[in-house]
């Protein structure tokens, strides 16, 4: 089996797997399972990245996304004590709206795709070069990303502070006063 | 005509600017901070203005040797509104003998009234507001007087009307004051409509003339007094085709102009607001409703005099209205009980005198115009003095009803002396100022070929002496008739001093050769005192004094008997011929019911109904949209997605179409 | 597209088809999930699909550059920030109202006036 054939096979494997898991993410009535399925989808995406030759991205995907963010989501499921609950099925109306919206979106994408010439997706390019990503992130030139990069750090800081401010324990006295005025 | 003027002539605009600045400062900054300071600043600003006014007058009189007519100058003007070439409105200062005279009168009386008010209004809650509006009034009046065109005059005209409204309604917690201010506002607005129409009509006609004149029109603008006074323009205006009912635009415009002037100067039948305006503070009555604002109508007619003289028959209307008002108001003045109301009717009567004088010029000799301005000048001083004296009485006794007063001469000797002087001045006793100006008015009537008017003028002179002596005797002689008038005290010095200054002016103003200064070219010279006129006039005044002395000087029973004898006539006079009632009846029964009510119905049903319909439609749309505002983030996400897809769809459609 | 798919080769169309499908599934979840955490999971699905698409375009259109990869990194960072804030909000919400079902959240709710027990 040639390398190209292996890549094709892996692609279709990941594609099938991620679609199936994605279905579970949106459809599973048990949230914890949905979160686990999301973990799988993200893992498949890491596989995609690797297939495209972006090894560093694949690593980040696994370490940060799967290992960090989704674990946070799992915590969230547990903190809100919904892990044992069976979520209600969506009402038919909701279900229909969701289906129509998703299909409309997909159809639009297909239409856009039809206007796009197909092109072979070649193997590893410069994307595998972690140094290139680092340089691009800190490049102050016209094609660099230093400003968004810094903005993202501010965003993360703001999210951190905001998260603490929102979830901080409020002492009962001021909370009751707040309730009186609210 | 711009270069070699002295500083004050060049910068005469400072005179109105000072009160305006002070108005802004006092009204916006000082009023809430410190009322005393506000009053002091306001008075100081106007006093400075008055000093500059006198300086201006002295410098202006240096211009020409007395033989020559004094020049008409516009030393300063800026473009204000430009409609098109030839119809540009400037703001500026027009200096001619009449406007300089009025500047002196307005600033002087205003400054004295400001000083007087410092004491008179002490302790009033609206102290700062009072002075701010008084400043605004002074500015507006000066702007009116100095206006080089009809539009600036109209704007200032409305501003003095507004100031008058604010000041009549100064005590806005008194229903009578509120009603009086509304009445003054509505009646003068009604007349101002005439002035506005006159401006539009004359502006259009004069603009046509200006277009015909072509190059010879020069830089003059259609609504400038300088342009409207030119002989060729007047001739062209007089020969225009009639516009309405056989009248040319000139005649119709001048009639409407006079309607405006008659409203402000409270000529019959628009006089009804002035007696009620006495609800305002007395110094306001002295300044606005006696000395300055109410003469604006006279000034307007004098200013636009060449136009009126060129228009057919308008001066006859002025003469008739003036003469009737003089007699009518003097007769009513004899029967009123309130001191200030008597003075108000006296003002009406004297304004009628001035209008009468203007109206006598139909024969071509503009001597009456000089007489009117001269009488305006002297009247401002003695009438302001009378009002300030009445204010001192009111201040001390807290009532203006002459039947409650009495015997005040012992308690208020200074006020008594000053009031007496003013009474003699208004009655026209030599050598006080009223004698000279009244003499000129009557002489103008006699020599202008109006013997009947002359006779009426004599009668009015007698009535004037009678009603003034009546209130003077009732207030200052006899014994106190009520408790209030028994415990009065002399007015404070801040009030007596301005009165003293006015008394000096009222005494000597007659010797100022005003009528020679303001004379238009072509006025017949007449030297000295015409005893053919002055003799009968003085006799009439003395007769009036005698009658009043006999009726009111001793036994008041004689006056009661006389009232009983007059019967119905007395009742009619006392009720001012029921003119207020007539107007109310017309307003309520005719205008409200036949005009206002259908309009109100239309407004409520059709105009409001349309608006309500639109509102209802909007609310229904809102209710429809409200259904989408569920507060459900997912619904919003769905809408956002739909919107995004719609944009893509539009792009697609546009791509196909393009 | 057809010939590439038929031959099993993984051209651009195949990649985009997969990411679009992933995103559409995310949209469906976004609109139908009742649990707030479930909505968040669906949202992550969408974000991830978009990130992959960025990287695909990077590989196809500009192999010499790394812009798409940088975007993917940003997406990860934004997702992290989002989860942090969402976590704070949902925990607070749960402590006040004992539920994170978004269909039960309209109005003042029972938990609002009484506060957390």
């Amino acid at each position: 089996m040639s390398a190209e054939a292996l890549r094709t096979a892996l692609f279709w494997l990941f594609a099938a797997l991620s679609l199936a898991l994605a279905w579970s993410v949106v459809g599973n009535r048990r949230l914890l399972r949905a979160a686990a399925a999301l973990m799988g989808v993200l893992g498949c995406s890491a596989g995609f990245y690797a297939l495209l030759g972006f090894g560093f991205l694949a690593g980040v995907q696994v370490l940060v996304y799967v290992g960090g963010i989704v674990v946070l989501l799992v915590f969230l499921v547990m903190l809100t004590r919904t892990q044992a609950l069976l979520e209600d099925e969506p009402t038919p109306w909701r279900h229909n709206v969701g289906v129509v919206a998703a299909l409309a979106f997909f159809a639009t994408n297909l239409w856009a795709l039809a206007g796009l010439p197909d092109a072979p997706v070649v193997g590893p390019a410069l994307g595998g070069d972690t140094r290139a990503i680092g340089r691009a992130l800190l490049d102050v030139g016209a094609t660099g990303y230093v400003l968004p990069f810094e903005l993202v750090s501010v965003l993360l800081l703001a999210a951190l502070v905001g998260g603490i401010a929102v979830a901080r324990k409020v002492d009962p006295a001021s909370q009751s006063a707040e309730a009186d005025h609210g | 005509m711009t270069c070699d003027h002295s500083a004050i002539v060049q910068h005469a605009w400072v005179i109105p600017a000072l009160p305006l600045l002070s108005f802004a400062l006092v009204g916006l900054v000082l009023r809430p901070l410190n009322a005393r300071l506000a009053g002091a600043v306001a008075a100081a600003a106007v006093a400075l203005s008055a000093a500059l006014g006198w300086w201006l007058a002295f410098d202006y009189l240096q211009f020409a040797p007395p033989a020559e007519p004094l020049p008409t100058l516009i030393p300063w003007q800026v473009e204000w509104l430009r409609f098109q070439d030839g119809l540009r409105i400037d703001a500026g200062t027009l200096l001619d003998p009449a406007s300089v005279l009025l500047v002196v009168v307005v600033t002087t009386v205003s400054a004295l009234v400001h000083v007087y008010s410092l004491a008179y209004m002490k302790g009033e809650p609206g102290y700062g507001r009072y002075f701010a509006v008084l400043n605004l009034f002074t500015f507006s009046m000066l702007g009116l007087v100095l206006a080089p065109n009809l539009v600036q005059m109209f704007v200032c005209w409305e501003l003095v009307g507004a100031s008058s409204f604010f000041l009549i309604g100064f005590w806005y917690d008194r229903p009578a004051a509120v009603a009086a201010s509304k009445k003054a506002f509505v009646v003068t607005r009604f007349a101002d409509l005439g002035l506005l129409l006159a401006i539009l009509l004359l502006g259009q006609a004069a603009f046509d003339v200006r277009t015909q004149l072509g190059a010879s029109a020069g830089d003059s603008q259609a609504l400038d007094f300088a342009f409207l006074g030119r002989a060729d323009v007047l001739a062209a205006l007089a020969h225009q085709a009639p516009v309405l009912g056989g009248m040319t635009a000139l005649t119709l415009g001048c009639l409407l102009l006079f309607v405006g002037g008659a409203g402000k100067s409270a000529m019959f039948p628009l006089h009804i607001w002035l007696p009620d305006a006495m609800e305002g503070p007395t110094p306001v009555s002295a300044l606005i409703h006696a000395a300055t604002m109410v003469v604006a109508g006279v000034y307007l007619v004098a200013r636009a005099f060449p136009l009126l003289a060129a228009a057919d028959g308008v001066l006859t209307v002025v003469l008739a209205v003036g003469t009737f008002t003089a007699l009518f108001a003097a007769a009513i003045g004899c029967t009123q009980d309130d001191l200030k109301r008597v003075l108000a009717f006296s003002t009406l009567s004297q304004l009628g005198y001035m209008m009468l004088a203007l109206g006598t010029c139909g024969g071509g000799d503009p001597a009456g115009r000089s007489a009117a301005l001269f009488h305006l000048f002297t009247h401002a001083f003695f009438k302001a003095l009378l009002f300030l004296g009445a204010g001192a009485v009111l201040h001390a006794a807290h009532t203006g009803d002459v039947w409650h007063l009495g015997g005040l001469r012992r308690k208020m000797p200074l006020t008594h002396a000053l009031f007496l002087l003013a009474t003699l001045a208004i009655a026209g006793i030599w050598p006080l100022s009223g004698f000279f100006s009244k003499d000129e008015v009557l002489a103008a009537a006699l020599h202008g070929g109006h013997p009947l008017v002359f006779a009426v003028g004599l009668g009015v002179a007698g009535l004037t002496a009678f009603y003034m002596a009546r209130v003077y005797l009732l207030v200052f002689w006899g014994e106190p008739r009520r408790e209030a008038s028994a415990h009065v005290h002399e007015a404070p010095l801040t009030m007596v001093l301005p009165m003293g200054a006015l008394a000096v002016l009222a005494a000597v103003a007659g010797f100022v050769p005003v009528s020679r200064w303001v004379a238009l070219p072509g006025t017949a010279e007449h030297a000295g005192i015409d005893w053919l006129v002055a003799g009968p006039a003085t006799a009439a005044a003395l007769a009036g004094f005698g009658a009043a002395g006999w009726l009111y000087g001793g036994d008041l029973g004689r006056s009661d008997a006389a009232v009983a004898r007059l019967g119905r006539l007395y009742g009619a006079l006392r009720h001012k011929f029921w003119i207020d009632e007539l107007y109310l009846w017309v307003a309520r029964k005719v205008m409200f019911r036949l005009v206002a009510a259908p309009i109100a119905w239309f407004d409520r049903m059709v105009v409001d109904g349309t608006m309500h319909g639109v509102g209802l439609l909007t609310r229904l749309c809102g209710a429809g949209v409200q259904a989408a505002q569920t507060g459900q983030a997912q619904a919003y996400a769905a809408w956002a997605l739909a919107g995004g897809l719609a944009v893509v769809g539009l792009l697609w459609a546009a791509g196909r179409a393009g | 597209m057809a010939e590439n798919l038929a031959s099993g080769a993984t051209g651009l169309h195949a990649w985009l088809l997969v990411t679009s499908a992933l995103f559409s599934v995310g949209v469906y979840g976004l609109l139908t999930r009742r649990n707030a955490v479930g909505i968040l999971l669906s949202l992550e699905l969408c974000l991830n699909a978009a990130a992959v698409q960025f990287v695909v375009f990077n590989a196809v259109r500009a192999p010499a550059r790394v812009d798409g990869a940088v975007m993917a990194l940003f997406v990860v960072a934004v997702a992290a920030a989002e989860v942090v804030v969402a976590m704070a909000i949902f925990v607070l919400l749960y402590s006040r109202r004992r539920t994170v079902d978004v269909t039960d959240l309209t109005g003042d709710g029972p938990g609002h006036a009484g506060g957390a027990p």
Side-chain angles (χ1 to χ4, degrees), chain B residues 204-217 227 232-233 235-237 239-241:
Chain B
Q204 195 195 16
F207 186 72
D208 286 348
V209 169
R210 194 182 174 283
T211 313
Q212 284 163 20
L213 286 177
S216 71
F227 181 74
D232 54 344
V233 174
L237 277 174
H239 288 101
Q240 278 181 334

Side-chain angles (χ1 to χ4, degrees), chain A residues 49 54 56-57 60-61 65 132-134 136-137 142-149 152, chain C residues 46-58 65-80:
Chain A
Y49 291 153
F54 291 84
F56 174 68
L57 266 189
V60 168
Q61 179 86 356
Y65 223 144
I133 294 179
L137 277 178
T143 56
Y145 289 91
V146 70
L147 187 63
F149 181 72
V152 164
Chain C
C46 293
L47 282 174
N48 182 64
V52 173
Q53 203 163 41
F54 266 120
V55 176
V56 171
F57 271 112
N58 187 172
R65 298 182 52 82
V66 291
D67 303 285
V70 169
M71 284 302 161
L73 286 177
F74 284 153
V75 168
V76 173
V78 170

Side-chain angles (χ1 to χ4, degrees), chain B residues 640-652:
Chain B
L641 188 77
L645 293 179
V647 170
V648 173
L650 275 177
L651 287 176
W652 172 73

Side-chain angles (χ1 to χ4, degrees), chain A residues 124-140:
Chain A
L126 190 58
D129 188 351
T130 307
R131 273 184 304 179
I133 294 179
R135 284 211 192 86
L137 277 178
L138 295 179
D139 184 3
V140 294

Side-chain angles (χ1 to χ4, degrees), chain B residues 283-306:
Chain B
V284 168
S285 309
L287 175 62
I288 299 184
H289 306 119
T292 55
M293 185 187 84
V294 289
V295 302
V298 176
Y299 181 73
L300 173 69
V301 173
R303 168 65 65 214
F305 185 77

Side-chain angles (χ1 to χ4, degrees), chain B residues 585-601:
Chain B
W585 184 83
V586 168
R588 286 202 182 124
K589 295 281 147 85
V590 181
M591 280 162 72
F592 286 2
R593 201 170 286 175
L594 297 183
V595 181
I599 290 176
W601 180 88

Side-chain angles (χ1 to χ4, degrees), chain A residues 8 11 25-26 28 31 42 45 61 65 80 82 87 95 102 105-106 109-110 113 116 118-119 125-126 145 152 163, chain C residues 4 8 10 12-13 15-17 20 23-25 28 31 33-35 40 44 48 55 63-64 67 77 83 88 94:
Chain A
T8 308
F11 168 74
V25 170
V26 299
N28 202 310
L31 264 186
L42 297 177
S45 295
Q61 179 86 356
Y65 223 144
T80 55
T82 43
E87 193 183 351
H95 175 81
F105 182 83
F106 190 66
N109 266 345
L110 278 185
L113 210 59
L116 204 68
D118 199 3
L126 190 58
Y145 289 91
V152 164
Chain C
N4 267 332
T10 53
L12 180 60
H13 280 181
W15 282 93
L16 294 185
L17 206 60
S20 294
F23 197 102
S24 300
V25 173
Y28 171 79
L31 295 184
R33 275 284 187 190
R34 304 185 59 163
N35 188 304
L40 205 58
E44 295 296 334
N48 182 64
V55 176
D67 303 285
V83 170
Y94 181 75

